[in-house]
Amino acid sequence: MKYHVPQALVAGHEQTGGGLFFLVLHAPEIAQAAVPGQFLHIRCGKGDDPLLRRPISICRVDKGKGNVMLWYQVVGKGTSLMSQVRQGDCLDIVGPLGRGFEPVAAGKTVFLVGGGVGSAPLVFLGNELAPEKEVVALFGGASEGMLLHPCLTRLENCEYATDDGSFGYSGTVIGLLEEQMKSKTPDMIYACGPQGMLREVVRIAEEKSIPLQVSLEARMACGVGACLGCSFLRSKKSGGGWARVCQDGPVFWDWEVAWDDGEQQ
Amino acid sequence: MKYHVPQALVAGHEQTGGGLFFLVLHAPEIAQAAVPGQFLHIRCGKGDDPLLRRPISICRVDKGKGNVMLWYQVVGKGTSLMSQVRQGDCLDIVGPLGRGFEPVAAGKTVFLVGGGVGSAPLVFLGNELAPEKEVVALFGGASEGMLLHPCLTRLENCEYATDDGSFGYSGTVIGLLEEQMKSKTPDMIYACGPQGMLREVVRIAEEKSIPLQVSLEARMACGVGACLGCSFLRSKKSGGGWARVCQDGPVFWDWEVAWDDGEQQ
Amino acid sequence: MTANNSEMVPLLGVEIAGIRMKNPVMTASGTFGFGEAYTDFFELSELGAVVIKGVTPEPRKGNPPPRLAETSAGMLNSIGLENPGVEKVLEEYLPSLEQAGTPVIVNIAGSTVEDYCLVAERLSASEVVKGLEVNISCPNVKAGGIAFGSKPEMAAQVIRAVKKHTSLPLIAKLSPNVTDITEMALAVEEAGASAVSLINTLLGMAIDVRTRKPKLKNVMGGLSGPAVRPVAVRMVWQVSQVLKVPVIGMGGIATAEDALEFILAGATAVAVGTGQFVNPRCCPEIIAGIKAYCEENEVSAVAELVGAAWKEEARG
Amino acid sequence: MTANNSEMVPLLGVEIAGIRMKNPVMTASGTFGFGEAYTDFFELSELGAVVIKGVTPEPRKGNPPPRLAETSAGMLNSIGLENPGVEKVLEEYLPSLEQAGTPVIVNIAGSTVEDYCLVAERLSASEVVKGLEVNISCPNVKAGGIAFGSKPEMAAQVIRAVKKHTSLPLIAKLSPNVTDITEMALAVEEAGASAVSLINTLLGMAIDVRTRKPKLKNVMGGLSGPAVRPVAVRMVWQVSQVLKVPVIGMGGIATAEDALEFILAGATAVAVGTGQFVNPRCCPEIIAGIKAYCEENEVSAVAELVGAAWKEEARG
Ligand SMILES: Cc1cc2nc3c(=O)[nH]c(=O)nc-3n(C[C@H](O)[C@H](O)[C@H](O)COP(=O)(O)OP(=O)(O)OC[C@H]3O[C@@H](n4cnc5c(N)ncnc54)[C@H](O)[C@@H]3O)c2cc1C
Ligand SMILES: Cc1cc2nc3c(=O)[nH]c(=O)nc-3n(C[C@H](O)[C@H](O)[C@H](O)COP(=O)(O)OP(=O)(O)OC[C@H]3O[C@@H](n4cnc5c(N)ncnc54)[C@H](O)[C@@H]3O)c2cc1C
Ligand SMILES: Cc1cc2nc3c(=O)[nH]c(=O)nc-3n(C[C@H](O)[C@H](O)[C@H](O)COP(=O)(O)O)c2cc1C
Ligand SMILES: Cc1cc2nc3c(=O)[nH]c(=O)nc-3n(C[C@H](O)[C@H](O)[C@H](O)COP(=O)(O)O)c2cc1C
Ligand code: FES
Ligand code: FES
């Protein structure tokens, strides 16, 4: 079930670093229904500009309090307006949308590989899996200020990588992943982040035949599968043709995606 | 001199009644330069919708503090967005714009006749004239909550009229004016308010041959005389042709306006 | 203020091309999938009619991504008529719309006149389909669409040909990218269209100054949303005054006020596209708003409002 | 990030129809009065060129109010070419522009071909005028404007006739309300235009649902502002690829990014209209922004960016 909550109360909003914000919205139905990997579609302004909603992954939920939490980065018009809402204001949201992560079939150890704000949906996933699995979160960012603090992730087993070496492993999260794989081979990897990073994770997972799910991004209009605007090409293996990121995803198995098709951007 | 202040600090913002707000902006150059009858052109939103600035008369200035004060009513998109700014926020303003009221040539007694938020520019005028003239302010509103309190007008000699009789004279400000004229004939009248009300004031002033200036309204785009969008027809007496409310006004002598031309709305 | 001395319930029903609609609000083709996407937000049966995505004879892959770009108060799309083809639509999608509780109109498209005829003929076999909206105006397919939509003779030719292959009412969907919209509308009316839909998207584009490339992979796309509303209202105003058949108005409708603007300009019904993406409860809210407007203004039937602005204008 | 290993100052100058401009930013006719309205906000000499309001042989009263309506990210105007007539412009306004420190271009209009010729001839007498922008696209005058702007032969006829009455360079200002903008552009180029300006306003309208009347007294008006930008960029893209003469791009430009979008699409210069109303320092800010973009991207001359998006596209 998808919900439209035109007036979701902003229960909290704090800056976690340069241009990054952690937002707590009160929306009990959505908190109840959401599964990791799903996203909210958010109206950022009040007028007709910016017009379209913005998709933001659910980073955590507190079903008890009925809260949904997001971690987002200011990159343009919409997210900049969003960053200006204050506790006590309301936001117009739709959710939970999309197909979430699929649970691990077998095995004990799970790696979460997140680049930048791509870590957001993995936090939710890690929190859900933690009671049953051994969850190792590997989150990368440009510098210390771009990482989400453990007091917000609530993840116990979290390793960080920073490009500038200001915190944790010095290098990209891919470097960190390779480092970790030397000592431990996960039964499943979940990844979210920039395209370049995802391709690296795909390569590594393929090499070691580790099942992998990725969360993709695309510009969206409807967010509910109606407009066919967010399409990407499926791999031949998965039947070819277009898949809609918003409705058929945003989470896909790595082998469902035609990573190298010329028509794909 | 006109100024563009892209970030004028909101030094105060309070609701004075149903849908009416008193806004204090810090803009020292504008406070210094402004004369009564002039207005600010305000950008109400952040995106491209609403697109155009909104003209709001200057209601008071505090040259010492460098503040400009406005009294406005929420009637649509722009004013509704404006009402949501908070102390400490900034607004993008241009001003002071337009031709203000002309001083009284002779005589001692001046009547200010304001309908609704039309009282705003007359407050500024009254404050400027008060030291030298006997200023009688006659302000009307639908009910008590629609009037501007003397602690904000800073006018000593102020009579109120309310349509519902909840405060002061029971009836329109025109009724109040006629009432006052029984005991006193002003040397000059300044008026601002809805078209219907202004026509009544024109009629009364003509009958008694009292000089009258009115402040007019029109939809504006540029606000500085560039687009010819805010035109109204001049009376034959004043040479005919179009005048621009924004640059040639908003204040006009009653005889400059072709009140009854069919082409005028 | 509701008229408190009467119990009047305004009549919202309208008729378009012989199709009875319980209210004048329909969905715009291509923005509502095949009717399944918004079922969590409202019931299809609340709608005046549902218009589904453009259908072609064969499955179409559509254009490569990115297919969307946002513009000021608008959006560009270059979907390119992606659809599973008429056979699959008949088998998989239409049966589930049988219980929709509202008339189903199918938007049809093609690259040749034969394509249109073929789709029309196949769809006529379905009990579910109550009308066909003939899309002679898609800016996103190279052959067909745009050419049919910009020459009156070619538009008329499509309508005439399709008419021979179906007894379903035909609604001609016109492109706004023309010098004289009334000429186009008159041509399709003359050719036998039972109604016209106005407007399809305006041809537009946007460039990313960082990459120096068009934002859409397909370079140009169709502009929709509130940005285009003034152009759409103008065309509805112009066309409704010269046609005998009804006009379905669309282009940037997001609120009841917007819908009423089109109705006053001469639209008998309206369709909601981009507005739906922004507010998933757009359609039911518009229907409620039109009803409220009628009540407040003591309008006994929405049909009385159709073209009221130019009828008034004509009176002086 | 500025290129910190070089002291390069990008060349912003461009040339349009033989008119040398120190940067590619000009004002859009009708939105800048006769150059006097914005002098408190910046110096005219900062501009690439100043284009003044449309001038006709006789004074014109223009259309009755209301003449403005706001729309989503746009505005409608129905000024109707109000102007004091060419004689008064010559006497009163042009002399004060002599010291402008930037080329002065006058927009000319009329109801007949003779009108255009007359104004052009009179303006050629002025030393101050460096070029004429021939407005064959005003949607707000019944005779003339719109008809000249929608038929290629008629547009060409105006340009050819005017050319005989002046040696000033002619810039043809085209209407976007046509099926095929390239056809119009080719016709005026062939007729002798030294440049084209794209776009004038889109024909639109809005209705007040409360009064049930058009918001503009004149019913229809011209739509401008950010809402129309995608249509304008598309037309500049199309036209600049088929013309030999330069294109001046306009329509919804409000920021340096917008201006660059037009330049990358093929505009040699750009004009700012509605954007000026919103931000009185729009032009100088755009000029500074273009300079910064060139510096950041190590572009040595803005002229290199003209049409870069389609040149890139053509390379594959
Ligand atoms: C399923 C999904 C989940 C997401 N989750 C998060 C999240 O948890 N936290 C977070 O910070 N961001 C997330 N994003 C990205 C986020 O949606 C965009 O950053 C946002 O829409 C940008 O809007 P804007 O108006 O600020 O930027 P704009 O001004 O619209 O654009 C700025 C830049 O961002 C790019 N961009 C804009 N929208 C998207 C988009 N939908 N996908 C990719 N690039 C885009 C533009 O191309 C441009 O380069 C997610 C995106 C998707 C599709
Ligand atoms: C010189 C001048 C001084 C003004 N001073 C004040 C003032 O001190 N306090 C105050 O509350 N208001 C004042 N106004 C009116 C104010 O500008 C409008 O109320 C405001 O622009 C409405 O904007 P909006 O977006 O809220 O309404 P919109 O959504 O734009 O419109 C709502 C309604 O208001 C009408 N309207 C909008 N703009 C104007 C306008 N410029 N003139 C007349 N009607 C308009 C519309 O036609 C519509 O009916 C003044 C107007 C002018 C021209
Ligand atoms: C994503 C998208 C897809 C569309 N697909 C179609 C289509 O398949 N057939 C068609 O006739 N119109 C199509 N349209 C046009 C719409 O039906 C409508 O005419 C146009 O968008 C204007 O209305 P709006 O501003 O309310 O969106 C599409 C529009 C959008 C935005
Ligand atoms: C109020 C107004 C008046 C205009 N007057 C003229 C004119 O006299 N001659 C002309 O060629 N174009 C005129 N235009 C069109 C503009 O020059 C410009 O082509 C159009 O507005 C698009 O640019 P913009 O979106 O930046 O405003 C006018 C536009 C506006 C908004
Ligand atoms: S955003 Fe519309 S189908 Fe995905
Ligand atoms: S608003 Fe532009 S001339 Fe007055």
Side-chain angles (χ1 to χ4, degrees):
Chain A
M1 187 74 185
K2 298 160 184 153
Y3 299 91
H4 178 204
V5 186
Q7 303 232 29
L9 186 76
V10 175
H13 201 180
E14 59 177 297
Q15 188 155 4
T16 68
L20 288 159
F21 293 81
F22 192 81
L23 175 67
V24 185
L25 293 170
H26 186 66
E29 313 90 322
I30 296 180
Q32 243 350 293
V35 300
Q38 289 189 305
F39 63 92
L40 300 185
H41 218 189
I42 305 181
R43 188 149 182 204
C44 300
K46 310 224 175 212
D48 292 335
D49 175 52
L51 181 66
L52 300 171
R53 291 172 182 271
R54 299 295 191 254
I56 303 286
S57 298
I58 299 173
C59 177
R60 261 176 48 207
V61 299
D62 181 332
K63 290 192 207 275
K65 289 195 182 140
N67 287 343
V68 184
M69 287 159 264
L70 311 175
W71 187 47
Y72 69 92
Q73 183 166 21
V74 172
V75 298
K77 244 187 203 183
T79 46
S80 155
L81 277 171
M82 203 155 91
S83 72
Q84 288 163 38
V85 307
R86 282 173 262 199
Q87 194 167 332
D89 290 350
C90 287
L91 269 179
D92 179 342
I93 62 176
V94 174
L97 301 180
R99 179 178 77 157
F101 294 103
E102 273 181 47
V104 197
K108 183 91 189 106
T109 308
V110 160
F111 275 16
L112 310 176
V113 185
V117 281
S119 308
L122 302 173
V123 169
F124 187 5
L125 178 67
N127 279 302
E128 294 271 298
L129 294 179
E132 322 236 307
K133 304 280 175 185
E134 185 202 356
V135 176
V136 181
L138 310 173
F139 293 160
S143 61
E144 185 175 0
M146 309 295 277
L147 303 171
L148 193 60
H149 196 271
C151 74
L152 288 176
T153 63
R154 303 276 168 96
L155 292 173
E156 269 174 34
N157 199 348
C158 192
E159 301 282 330
Y160 294 99
T162 53
D163 298 344
D164 67 357
S166 54
F167 191 82
Y169 174 87
S170 179
T172 68
V173 71
I174 297 298
L176 177 61
L177 171 63
E178 284 174 326
E179 185 76 19
Q180 294 278 320
M181 301 264 288
K182 286 181 193 155
S183 56
K184 191 179 277 174
T185 306
D187 300 298
M188 173 86 192
I189 302 178
Y190 297 95
C192 183
Q195 281 274 328
M197 180 207 110
L198 289 184
R199 280 164 197 264
E200 288 296 293
V201 181
V202 169
R203 181 183 55 77
I204 293 168
E206 268 180 11
E207 269 170 31
K208 309 256 164 142
S209 304
I210 303 165
L212 165 65
Q213 286 198 342
V214 295
S215 179
L216 299 183
E217 289 198 4
R219 269 263 158 195
M220 292 183 183
C222 71
V224 296
C227 74
L228 310 183
C230 62
S231 302
F232 76 92
L233 210 56
R234 281 188 191 281
S235 65
K236 293 231 168 61
K237 210 187 307 180
S238 75
W242 300 105
R244 297 161 300 180
V245 171
C246 69
Q247 178 75 5
D248 305 322
V251 176
F252 294 90
W253 290 99
D254 60 344
W255 52 265
E256 290 182 286
V257 182
W259 293 100
D260 292 313
D261 190 281
E263 288 200 325
Q264 203 90 255
Q265 274 247 320
Chain B
M1 188 73 184
K2 299 160 183 151
Y3 299 92
H4 179 204
V5 186
Q7 303 231 27
L9 186 76
V10 175
H13 201 180
E14 59 176 297
Q15 185 154 3
T16 68
L20 288 159
F21 292 82
F22 192 81
L23 174 67
V24 185
L25 293 170
H26 186 66
E29 314 88 323
I30 296 180
Q32 245 347 295
V35 301
Q38 289 188 305
F39 63 93
L40 300 186
H41 219 188
I42 305 181
R43 188 149 181 204
C44 299
K46 310 220 176 217
D48 291 335
D49 174 53
L51 181 66
L52 300 172
R53 290 174 182 270
R54 299 294 191 258
I56 303 286
S57 297
I58 299 173
C59 176
R60 261 177 47 208
V61 299
D62 182 332
K63 290 192 208 273
K65 291 196 181 135
N67 287 344
V68 184
M69 287 158 263
L70 310 175
W71 187 47
Y72 70 91
Q73 183 165 22
V74 172
V75 299
K77 247 189 203 181
T79 47
S80 154
L81 277 171
M82 204 155 90
S83 71
Q84 289 163 40
V85 306
R86 281 172 265 199
Q87 194 168 334
D89 289 349
C90 287
L91 270 178
D92 178 341
I93 62 176
V94 174
L97 301 181
R99 178 178 79 158
F101 294 103
E102 273 180 47
V104 197
K108 181 93 188 105
T109 309
V110 160
F111 275 17
L112 310 177
V113 186
V117 283
S119 307
L122 301 173
V123 168
F124 187 4
L125 179 66
N127 280 301
E128 292 272 300
L129 295 179
E132 319 237 308
K133 304 282 176 183
E134 185 201 357
V135 177
V136 181
L138 310 174
F139 293 159
S143 61
E144 185 175 0
M146 308 297 277
L147 302 171
L148 193 60
H149 196 272
C151 73
L152 288 176
T153 64
R154 303 276 168 93
L155 291 174
E156 269 175 33
N157 198 348
C158 192
E159 301 283 330
Y160 293 99
T162 53
D163 298 343
D164 67 357
S166 55
F167 191 82
Y169 175 87
S170 178
T172 68
V173 72
I174 297 299
L176 176 60
L177 172 63
E178 283 174 327
E179 185 77 19
Q180 294 279 321
M181 299 264 289
K182 284 182 194 153
S183 56
K184 191 179 280 176
T185 305
D187 300 297
M188 174 84 191
I189 303 179
Y190 297 96
C192 182
Q195 279 275 329
M197 179 208 111
L198 289 183
R199 280 165 197 266
E200 287 297 291
V201 181
V202 170
R203 181 183 55 76
I204 293 167
E206 269 180 10
E207 269 172 29
K208 309 256 165 145
S209 303
I210 303 163
L212 166 65
Q213 286 197 342
V214 294
S215 178
L216 299 183
E217 290 200 3
R219 269 263 159 197
M220 292 183 182
C222 71
V224 296
C227 74
L228 310 183
C230 61
S231 302
F232 76 94
L233 210 57
R234 280 188 191 280
S235 65
K236 295 230 170 60
K237 211 187 306 180
S238 75
W242 301 103
R244 297 160 301 179
V245 171
C246 69
Q247 178 76 4
D248 305 321
V251 176
F252 295 90
W253 289 99
D254 60 343
W255 53 264
E256 289 182 287
V257 183
W259 293 99
D260 292 313
D261 190 280
E263 286 200 328
Q264 202 91 256
Q265 273 248 318
Chain C
M1 302 156 271
T2 25
N4 38 16
N5 56 348
S6 86
E7 290 290 295
M8 181 199 70
V9 178
L11 300 170
L12 297 186
V14 296
E15 197 179 303
I16 293 270
I19 305 165
R20 283 250 168 84
M21 294 166 44
K22 65 173 86 64
N23 63 60
V25 180
M26 28 207 295
T27 58
S29 175
T31 64
F32 206 70
F34 292 101
E36 75 297 353
Y38 288 97
T39 45
D40 280 356
F41 304 101
F42 62 91
E43 304 280 332
L44 288 183
S45 61
E46 298 179 48
L47 293 168
V50 59
V51 183
I52 63 174
K53 176 85 195 145
V55 176
T56 53
E58 301 298 320
R60 279 185 67 113
K61 226 173 109 183
N63 292 319
R67 293 174 168 186
L68 297 175
E70 195 184 51
T71 66
S72 289
M75 58 173 277
L76 291 163
N77 88 79
S78 60
I79 311 300
L81 289 183
E82 172 181 343
N83 80 93
V86 68
E87 296 309 326
K88 186 141 177 209
V89 169
L90 279 165
E91 276 160 47
E92 272 188 30
Y93 295 98
L94 288 175
S96 63
L97 284 170
E98 202 163 354
Q99 304 302 322
T102 191
V104 174
I105 295 169
V106 183
N107 182 277
I108 66 171
S111 312
T112 62
V113 176
E114 291 67 45
D115 281 356
Y116 285 97
C117 296
L118 206 147
V119 184
E121 192 165 309
R122 290 295 293 125
L123 288 169
S124 307
S126 161
E127 287 283 296
V128 182
V129 183
K130 296 291 176 282
L132 299 178
E133 186 180 54
V134 188
N135 180 2
I136 46 172
S137 45
C138 185
N140 289 320
V141 286
K142 298 226 161 82
I146 199 79
F148 294 130
S150 54
K151 303 229 171 72
E153 326 81 65
M154 288 187 74
Q157 189 195 336
V158 175
I159 299 296
R160 261 195 306 269
V162 172
K163 232 184 138 55
K164 290 191 191 125
H165 290 80
T166 183
S167 54
L168 287 170
L170 298 184
I171 303 162
K173 181 145 178 190
L174 301 183
S175 165
N177 304 295
V178 296
T179 308
D180 184 354
I181 190 72
T182 59
E183 191 190 15
M184 293 297 303
L186 287 166
V188 294
E189 180 184 53
E190 161 86 36
S194 308
V196 299
S197 282
L198 288 174
I199 60 172
N200 209 318
T201 52
L202 280 164
L203 193 58
M205 73 178 285
I207 294 170
D208 184 326
V209 302
R210 210 174 33 79
T211 62
R212 300 190 199 167
K213 283 185 186 164
K215 288 190 178 170
L216 300 176
K217 184 77 177 173
N218 203 45
V219 181
M220 293 181 211
L223 181 66
S224 63
V228 309
R229 197 188 313 130
V231 174
V233 171
R234 182 261 293 183
M235 290 190 167
V236 167
W237 168 280
Q238 290 176 314
V239 167
S240 64
Q241 294 185 62
V242 300
L243 286 200
K244 287 180 280 299
V245 301
V247 171
I248 304 170
M250 68 201 72
I253 296 178
T255 66
E257 196 173 316
D258 300 340
L260 286 160
E261 199 181 348
F262 278 84
I263 293 171
L264 294 167
T268 302
V270 296
V272 178
T274 305
Q276 186 69 28
F277 304 158
V278 179
N279 174 10
R281 284 193 43 80
C282 197
C283 289
E285 286 176 11
I286 289 174
I287 296 163
I290 292 176
K291 182 154 175 276
Y293 178 92
C294 290
E295 282 165 358
E296 279 161 33
N297 294 281
E298 306 195 14
V299 173
S300 56
V302 74
E304 290 170 25
L305 294 174
V306 176
W310 53 258
K311 286 173 189 159
E312 190 117 327
E313 185 84 7
R315 274 196 297 273
Chain D
M1 301 156 273
T2 24
N4 37 15
N5 55 348
S6 86
E7 290 291 295
M8 181 198 72
V9 178
L11 300 169
L12 297 186
V14 296
E15 196 179 305
I16 293 271
I19 305 164
R20 284 250 170 85
M21 293 167 43
K22 66 173 85 67
N23 63 60
V25 180
M26 30 206 292
T27 58
S29 174
T31 64
F32 206 69
F34 291 100
E36 75 297 354
Y38 288 97
T39 44
D40 279 355
F41 304 101
F42 62 91
E43 304 280 331
L44 289 184
S45 61
E46 298 179 48
L47 294 167
V50 60
V51 183
I52 63 174
K53 176 83 194 147
V55 176
T56 53
E58 301 298 319
R60 279 185 69 112
K61 224 173 111 182
N63 293 320
R67 293 173 169 189
L68 296 175
E70 194 185 52
T71 66
S72 290
M75 59 172 278
L76 291 163
N77 88 78
S78 61
I79 312 301
L81 289 183
E82 172 181 343
N83 80 92
V86 68
E87 296 310 328
K88 185 138 179 211
V89 169
L90 279 165
E91 277 160 47
E92 273 189 30
Y93 296 98
L94 288 176
S96 63
L97 284 169
E98 203 162 354
Q99 305 301 323
T102 191
V104 175
I105 295 169
V106 182
N107 183 277
I108 65 171
S111 311
T112 61
V113 176
E114 291 66 45
D115 280 356
Y116 285 96
C117 295
L118 207 146
V119 184
E121 192 163 306
R122 289 295 293 126
L123 288 169
S124 306
S126 161
E127 287 283 298
V128 181
V129 183
K130 296 291 174 284
L132 299 178
E133 185 180 54
V134 188
N135 179 3
I136 46 170
S137 46
C138 184
N140 289 321
V141 286
K142 296 224 162 84
I146 199 80
F148 293 129
S150 54
K151 305 231 170 70
E153 327 79 67
M154 288 186 74
Q157 190 194 333
V158 175
I159 299 297
R160 260 195 305 269
V162 172
K163 232 183 138 54
K164 291 194 190 121
H165 291 80
T166 182
S167 55
L168 287 169
L170 298 184
I171 303 163
K173 180 146 178 190
L174 301 182
S175 164
N177 304 296
V178 296
T179 308
D180 185 353
I181 190 73
T182 58
E183 192 190 15
M184 294 297 303
L186 286 166
V188 294
E189 180 185 52
E190 161 87 35
S194 308
V196 299
S197 282
L198 289 172
I199 60 173
N200 208 318
T201 52
L202 279 164
L203 193 60
M205 73 178 285
I207 294 170
D208 185 327
V209 302
R210 209 174 34 79
T211 63
R212 299 187 199 170
K213 283 185 187 163
K215 287 190 180 170
L216 300 176
K217 184 79 177 172
N218 202 44
V219 181
M220 292 181 210
L223 181 66
S224 63
V228 310
R229 195 189 314 130
V231 175
V233 171
R234 183 262 294 181
M235 290 188 166
V236 167
W237 169 279
Q238 290 177 315
V239 167
S240 64
Q241 293 185 62
V242 299
L243 287 201
K244 286 180 281 300
V245 301
V247 171
I248 303 170
M250 68 201 72
I253 296 177
T255 65
E257 196 173 316
D258 301 339
L260 286 159
E261 199 182 347
F262 278 83
I263 294 171
L264 293 167
T268 301
V270 296
V272 178
T274 305
Q276 187 68 29
F277 304 157
V278 179
N279 174 9
R281 285 193 42 80
C282 197
C283 289
E285 287 176 11
I286 289 175
I287 296 163
I290 293 175
K291 180 152 175 281
Y293 177 91
C294 289
E295 282 165 357
E296 279 162 33
N297 294 281
E298 306 194 14
V299 173
S300 57
V302 74
E304 289 170 26
L305 294 173
V306 176
W310 52 257
K311 284 173 191 161
E312 190 117 326
E313 185 84 6
R315 273 196 297 274

